[in-house]
Amino acid sequence: MMRRKNGDKRYFTRMGTRKKVHAFVRVKPTDDFAHEMITYGDDNKTIDIHLKKDTRRGVVNNQQTDWSFKLDGVLHDASQDLVYETVAKDVVSQALDGYNGTIMCYGQTGAGKTYTMTGATENYKHRGILPRALQQVFRMIEERPTHAITVRVSYLEIYNESLFDLLSTLPYVGPSVTPMTIVENPQGVFIKGLSVHLTSQEEDAFSLLFEGETNRIIASHTMNKSSSRSHCIFTIYMEAHSRTLSNEKYITSKINLVDLAGSERLGKSGSEGRVLKEATYINKSLSFLEQAIIALGDQKRDHIPFRQCKLTHALKDSLGGNCNLVLVTNIYGEAAQLEETLSSLRFASRMKLVTTEPAINEKYDAERMVKNLEKELALLKQELAIHDSLANRTLVNYDPMDEIQIAEINSQVRRYLEGTLDEIDIINLRQIQEVFNQFRVVLRQQEQEVESSLRRKYTLVDKNDFATISAVQKAGLIDVDGHLVGEPDGQGFGLGVAPFSTKPGKKSKSKKTFKEQFSSSARKEGASSPVSKELEVSASKSQLTPSSKDGDVKDMLLRDRETSNTSDSPKEELRPLRPSTPPSKPVAFEDFKNERGSEINRIFKENKSILNERRKKASETTHRINAIKREIDVTKEALNFQKSLREKQGEYENKGLMIIDEEEFLLILKLKDLKKQYRTEYQDLRDLRAEIQYCQHLVDQCRHRLLTEFDIWYNESFFVPEDLQVAVKPGCSIRPGMMPVSRIVSLGEDDQDKFNQLQQTVLPEGPDSISFYNAKVKTEQKQNYLKTMMGFQQTQRK
């Protein structure tokens, strides 16, 4: 077992035995098959090539005419099913056990590589290795209910030595601003900037596959009308967690499905212009790939040239790494393509020399590991407790100490230092550590007390700071000899700012506001209230009922509906029959308020009563304010009369102070008290008006909710057909009021539902092909929509 570290995570790879790469050859069916030149062995694993000697070279002719290649299998006139069963099924199956896998298609242009890998997307039977691998992955996930397996996919294209994300056209991905790069770390090779997509079902994976296929770059030449002009790597990432919480291990794996661009001879393909440039890059990268394969097959080679091109660098951990590698070589069976066929078979034979070491990729879940360690720690504590009891020791607590235990140790340390305690009993190692820690705490506290005492008694001044010393002397705090002034008895004093809490001043009277009073009452009553939070707050602010805050009457109604709908099925069967003619709305409204809407009607009445009470108090306060205002006016008139009378009789002064009579003085005091009462009553009136406004909002809200619920109940009770009542009964996904009555009445199947049912019953391939065709249809609809929009935009520009 080999362990790798990366940050805080640990990866364990269980090393396996070395094995050789599996190489298969698939011959493209043709009417002009060269039977005299290409023959197969009886074991169906050998292919022999025979060429006639060129008589134009003379009598002495050392030209090689016979070649024999032994591979793992020859697929001639093989169906797509047989190809997948032979080549890819075991690789995909082992991937779910934690082994990485790579399946690669190599060969001449037009030999059938893309058909082998992807297949014909128009026909389900002709699908290739890639869609079949996706199907097998999701089928095996269904067969493993003991594991939670997540699947992610990515689609990479290497075109002219540049990396492109074929899934960047998705709306939630978008094109990358920075170019993608190949990054290596201890876990393998990764493409920085490549989007990885989570797929929870088979249809989603097919949609991503078809989306990427529409973005591939293809071109036409004499040998292939739809020639792939780039190398493509479709990767399936899997991560399997055991549903058993005690199992902290989980496995990861990935499958690389590589569709290489075909090698071509420019003289035969007739490429020119952009296609010629693409062919140059393709042949160059395939040449570097062959060099890497030759180096891997040579046991004496120390350096493998993976970094010569993007293709070999991206496949570094797939070529000769810890994965199952399978090569499918596609060749022509015609005599005119025999030279390219020999080149492809030589590549396959060289690949057979490469050995890999498949390994299970195991990782450890940190969260589960912590839980398991905590469980193991609890068991060890139990074992330790049993050991203490067998050794006749008192009950020892090995848990971390709480505040009470730490305070007790601190007290023991202080008593030990004071001499009142002779010794401290040793219990366990944790207690010893805490004793030393408390010694340090006590020592620091004593140092701080000594320092604070000195600071209170003395002024600390640096002896070398002559400016500060002279300033203190000028202030008179110390004399010339350095002694404090005004300290004959040894009791010093300090200068500074007193704390704010010690400043003298009037204490503010604590006066509870209306909201505070009601919130306290709501806390007492609201716990047992069956209504929702919003009505609790609303009632709390109006000192009414334990209702909720403004807006969330919905929660109360939902809760009320759930509690009222908890009746058993027998009670539902005793539901009264619906009348043939619906009752009038006023009559039905009274029934609704007494039955289903009783709770919200009760809250509405209580809120309205409190609103009326507040209005009554506001009216009384207004009357009192008006009476005080009238009395103030009368007092002002009397005071003005006294002033005018005093001015007529003459004013008396004593030492510059004006002397008034007793009657005028009493009027002044009365006016002052009246103004104070006026201000108090006016503030109370403002508070009451704010409460009235808030209560009015609650009443309007309850009234609107009551009417809305009544309309829903009235339509459901007298207009929705009885055979559709199941759709809105309690416990179903459709809740009352979620859709209008017109929609509930027309709950019949639409065209899409009928088409889906028709697909499941009429498709010749059976239900397994539904996901394939659904994804294909969605991709085609998207492409048609994009083409239509582009044409519309071009028309507008013209």
Side-chain angles (χ1 to χ4, degrees):
M1 182 177 290
M2 180 176 65
R3 182 176 67 184
R4 299 175 179 174
K5 292 185 178 180
N6 181 22
D8 297 334
K9 297 183 179 179
R10 294 184 177 181
Y11 303 89
F12 293 85
T13 304
R14 188 185 303 165
M15 303 307 293
T17 58
R18 300 196 67 86
K19 58 183 292 188
K20 290 186 177 182
V21 175
H22 292 286
F24 297 88
V25 60
R26 186 180 191 185
V27 185
K28 183 177 181 179
T30 176
D31 296 334
D32 191 16
F33 186 78
H35 295 280
E36 298 178 355
M37 299 180 180
I38 302 175
T39 58
Y40 308 123
D42 296 335
D43 57 354
N44 205 25
K45 293 183 178 181
T46 306
I47 182 169
D48 299 325
I49 306 296
H50 174 72
L51 284 178
K52 295 180 180 180
K53 281 191 177 184
D54 190 358
T55 57
R56 292 176 299 179
R57 293 189 178 184
V59 180
V60 180
N61 188 352
N62 295 325
Q63 177 187 3
Q64 184 177 354
T65 58
D66 296 295
W67 292 266
S68 180
F69 301 94
K70 186 173 179 60
L71 304 172
D72 292 287
V74 177
L75 303 170
H76 180 60
D77 290 336
S79 64
Q80 294 282 64
D81 292 333
L82 179 60
V83 171
Y84 184 78
E85 292 287 334
T86 308
V87 173
K89 187 175 182 179
D90 292 339
V91 176
V92 177
S93 177
Q94 293 182 19
L96 285 173
D97 296 328
Y99 293 95
N100 293 336
T102 300
I103 303 172
M104 185 186 304
C105 288
Y106 176 90
Q108 183 186 1
T109 180
K113 299 180 299 301
T114 303
Y115 179 79
T116 301
M117 181 58 65
T118 307
T121 56
E122 295 80 9
N123 195 320
Y124 178 73
K125 290 183 178 180
H126 296 164
R127 66 195 188 282
I129 293 176
L130 210 162
R132 293 174 186 269
L134 289 173
Q135 283 184 317
Q136 183 181 350
V137 166
F138 285 99
R139 295 293 186 274
M140 295 185 67
I141 289 175
E142 294 176 357
E143 296 172 358
R144 300 192 180 191
T146 58
H147 287 76
I149 303 175
T150 57
V151 180
R152 295 176 174 85
V153 299
S154 65
Y155 211 166
L156 173 69
E157 181 183 47
I158 304 176
Y159 174 72
N160 290 352
E161 282 301 296
S162 298
L163 304 177
F164 296 95
D165 186 1
L166 290 177
L167 300 179
S168 62
T169 56
L170 294 172
Y172 55 87
V173 179
S176 178
V177 179
T178 58
M180 292 189 295
T181 56
I182 301 174
V183 181
E184 295 186 40
N185 60 24
Q187 283 70 53
V189 178
F190 298 91
I191 310 300
K192 184 178 180 181
L194 180 64
S195 61
V196 181
H197 305 263
L198 178 66
T199 58
S200 58
Q201 56 185 355
E202 185 178 317
E203 184 176 334
D204 296 339
F206 282 142
S207 298
L208 294 173
L209 170 62
F210 296 145
E211 178 72 22
E213 288 295 318
T214 56
N215 297 325
R216 289 188 64 174
I217 298 176
I218 59 175
S220 176
H221 52 75
T222 57
M223 298 188 65
N224 191 357
K225 293 182 179 180
S226 301
S227 175
S228 300
R229 312 310 294 166
S230 60
H231 310 295
C232 293
I233 304 174
F234 189 93
T235 306
I236 306 173
Y237 306 89
M238 287 171 285
E239 186 173 306
H241 291 260
S242 175
R243 298 187 187 274
T244 306
L245 295 179
S246 60
N247 192 355
E248 59 200 23
K249 294 182 182 179
Y250 68 98
I251 58 176
T252 61
S253 60
K254 65 178 180 178
I255 306 174
N256 288 324
L257 300 164
V258 186
D259 182 13
L260 297 173
S263 61
E264 59 185 79
R265 294 200 175 189
L266 302 180
K268 290 186 177 181
S269 62
S271 301
E272 58 183 9
R274 181 178 63 86
V275 181
L276 175 62
K277 180 182 177 181
E278 294 168 349
T280 305
Y281 276 105
I282 291 171
N283 291 337
K284 183 179 178 182
S285 60
L286 292 176
S287 177
F288 287 142
L289 175 62
E290 188 166 4
Q291 291 178 17
I293 296 301
I294 293 173
L296 287 169
D298 188 358
Q299 302 296 331
K300 298 179 181 179
R301 291 282 294 270
D302 295 331
H303 173 68
I304 309 298
F306 285 117
R307 294 176 177 266
Q308 286 183 322
C309 66
K310 299 290 180 62
L311 175 63
T312 54
H313 197 187
L315 296 175
K316 179 179 178 180
D317 57 351
S318 299
L319 301 173
N322 62 335
C323 72
N324 294 310
L325 178 59
V326 178
L327 174 70
V328 180
T329 305
N330 295 87
I331 63 173
Y332 276 97
E334 299 175 357
Q337 310 297 335
L338 206 56
E339 293 183 6
E340 289 79 6
T341 298
L342 281 173
S343 177
S344 300
L345 292 173
R346 290 192 187 101
F347 181 86
S349 62
R350 293 189 183 106
M351 183 67 83
K352 285 279 298 175
L353 300 177
V354 179
T355 58
T356 61
E357 194 171 0
I360 297 178
N361 301 301
E362 291 181 347
K363 297 181 182 180
Y364 283 81
D365 191 341
E367 184 178 355
R368 291 189 179 184
M369 186 182 295
V370 169
K371 291 182 179 179
N372 292 340
L373 290 175
E374 289 176 350
K375 184 177 180 181
E376 185 178 358
L377 181 62
L379 293 175
L380 291 175
K381 286 182 179 180
Q382 294 177 1
E383 292 287 341
L384 200 56
I386 296 175
H387 177 74
D388 292 338
S389 62
L390 294 177
N392 294 327
R393 296 184 62 187
T394 57
L395 182 62
V396 180
N397 186 14
Y398 296 97
D399 294 330
M401 294 187 174
D402 53 16
E403 296 180 357
I404 298 176
Q405 293 173 334
I406 294 175
E408 177 63 25
I409 293 178
N410 183 277
S411 175
Q412 293 177 0
V413 170
R414 291 183 180 276
R415 285 184 289 157
Y416 180 80
L417 293 176
E418 293 171 357
T420 58
L421 184 64
D422 295 335
E423 60 182 13
I424 300 176
D425 296 333
I426 300 300
I427 300 176
N428 54 26
L429 180 61
R430 196 186 297 272
Q431 185 250 0
I432 296 174
Q433 293 175 346
E434 189 59 37
V435 167
F436 281 102
N437 183 38
Q438 292 304 316
F439 268 111
R440 182 168 57 248
V441 171
V442 172
L443 178 61
R444 289 178 179 176
Q445 289 178 352
Q446 291 179 352
E447 290 176 352
Q448 292 176 359
E449 291 174 359
V450 172
E451 182 179 355
S452 61
S453 177
L454 291 175
R455 287 184 180 277
R456 286 196 304 269
K457 193 170 183 180
Y458 302 102
T459 303
L460 302 180
V461 179
D462 190 359
K463 292 181 179 180
N464 299 323
D465 192 356
F466 299 104
T468 305
I469 293 176
S470 62
V472 173
Q473 288 178 351
K474 289 180 181 179
L477 297 179
I478 61 175
D479 54 13
V480 180
D481 298 330
H483 300 294
L484 285 172
V485 179
E487 194 180 4
D489 55 352
Q491 299 295 328
F493 64 93
L495 299 177
V497 181
F500 183 79
S501 59
T502 60
K503 285 186 177 181
K506 296 182 181 180
K507 296 184 179 179
S508 60
K509 295 181 180 181
S510 60
K511 181 180 180 180
K512 290 189 177 180
T513 63
F514 165 71
K515 294 183 180 181
E516 292 174 349
Q517 293 173 356
F518 189 70
S519 61
S520 61
S521 64
R523 282 194 295 268
K524 295 178 182 179
E525 302 175 1
S528 60
S529 178
V531 284
S532 67
K533 296 181 179 178
E534 275 193 282
L535 293 178
E536 289 176 4
V537 178
S538 68
S540 66
K541 290 199 173 184
S542 55
Q543 292 187 356
L544 296 164
T545 64
S547 355
S548 77
K549 207 174 184 175
D550 59 301
D552 267 310
V553 188
K554 182 193 299 182
D555 295 339
M556 182 275 297
L557 293 168
L558 289 177
R559 191 184 310 173
D560 175 57
R561 192 176 298 123
E562 290 174 0
T563 54
S564 64
N565 290 333
T566 52
S567 58
D568 299 333
S569 57
K571 294 182 180 180
E572 293 182 0
E573 295 177 357
L574 298 176
R575 183 178 56 189
L577 297 176
R578 176 186 298 179
S580 58
T581 303
S584 62
K585 281 199 172 184
V587 176
F589 186 62
E590 295 299 326
D591 296 338
F592 173 76
K593 290 192 295 183
N594 295 329
E595 296 175 0
R596 181 168 166 179
S598 59
E599 183 64 23
I600 191 171
N601 185 46
R602 179 186 64 81
I603 296 174
F604 171 73
K605 289 181 178 179
E606 291 178 356
N607 287 345
K608 194 170 182 180
S609 64
I610 293 178
L611 175 62
N612 295 332
E613 180 187 353
R614 293 288 179 246
R615 285 177 174 173
K616 183 179 179 181
K617 286 185 178 179
S619 177
E620 294 174 354
T621 305
T622 304
H623 288 306
R624 286 197 301 270
I625 290 176
N626 293 332
I628 294 173
K629 183 66 171 61
R630 288 193 296 268
E631 193 171 356
I632 288 175
D633 295 338
V634 173
T635 306
K636 282 184 178 180
E637 291 179 359
L639 188 59
N640 291 333
F641 176 77
Q642 289 293 330
K643 285 182 180 180
S644 62
L645 185 62
R646 176 165 44 82
E647 291 175 355
K648 291 179 181 180
Q649 294 177 355
E651 297 179 349
Y652 298 92
E653 294 184 359
N654 184 12
K655 297 180 181 181
L657 299 176
M658 186 177 296
I659 299 175
I660 60 177
D661 58 3
E662 182 179 358
E663 186 177 358
E664 185 176 357
F665 177 73
L666 292 176
L667 288 174
I668 292 175
L669 292 179
K670 182 179 179 182
L671 182 63
K672 184 177 181 180
D673 292 338
L674 288 174
K675 288 183 177 180
K676 184 177 180 181
Q677 293 179 16
Y678 182 85
R679 286 192 294 267
T680 303
E681 293 291 341
Y682 186 75
Q683 182 62 38
D684 292 342
L685 180 61
R686 291 181 60 183
D687 295 340
L688 284 172
R689 285 176 178 175
E691 295 173 13
I692 289 172
Q693 184 179 3
Y694 182 77
C695 292
Q696 183 65 49
H697 172 72
L698 294 179
V699 170
D700 294 340
Q701 189 180 24
C702 289
R703 181 186 292 110
H704 174 72
R705 193 62 186 177
L706 184 64
L707 295 176
T708 304
E709 287 294 314
F710 167 70
D711 290 337
I712 295 173
W713 171 81
Y714 189 78
N715 291 330
E716 291 174 355
S717 301
F718 303 107
F719 290 100
V720 177
E722 294 185 356
D723 55 350
L724 293 179
Q725 285 288 342
V726 181
V728 293
K729 73 176 184 179
C732 290
S733 58
I734 302 178
R735 301 294 297 162
M738 287 180 62
M739 60 176 63
V741 179
S742 59
R743 177 61 180 159
I744 297 178
V745 174
S746 59
L747 280 179
E749 297 178 348
D750 56 8
D751 294 336
Q752 185 64 36
D753 296 334
K754 294 179 180 179
F755 176 73
N756 292 337
Q757 292 184 1
L758 186 65
Q759 259 191 335
Q760 297 179 9
T761 55
V762 177
L763 281 178
E765 290 83 5
D768 291 341
S769 62
I770 293 177
S771 300
F772 183 87
Y773 279 119
N774 284 342
K776 182 64 178 176
V777 168
K778 291 180 181 178
T779 305
E780 291 177 351
Q781 290 175 349
K782 179 182 177 183
Q783 294 300 319
N784 293 334
Y785 173 76
L786 294 176
K787 291 180 181 178
T788 304
M789 293 302 296
M790 290 178 62
F792 179 71
Q793 292 175 359
Q794 292 177 358
T795 305
Q796 283 185 332
R797 290 174 184 174
K798 293 179 180 178

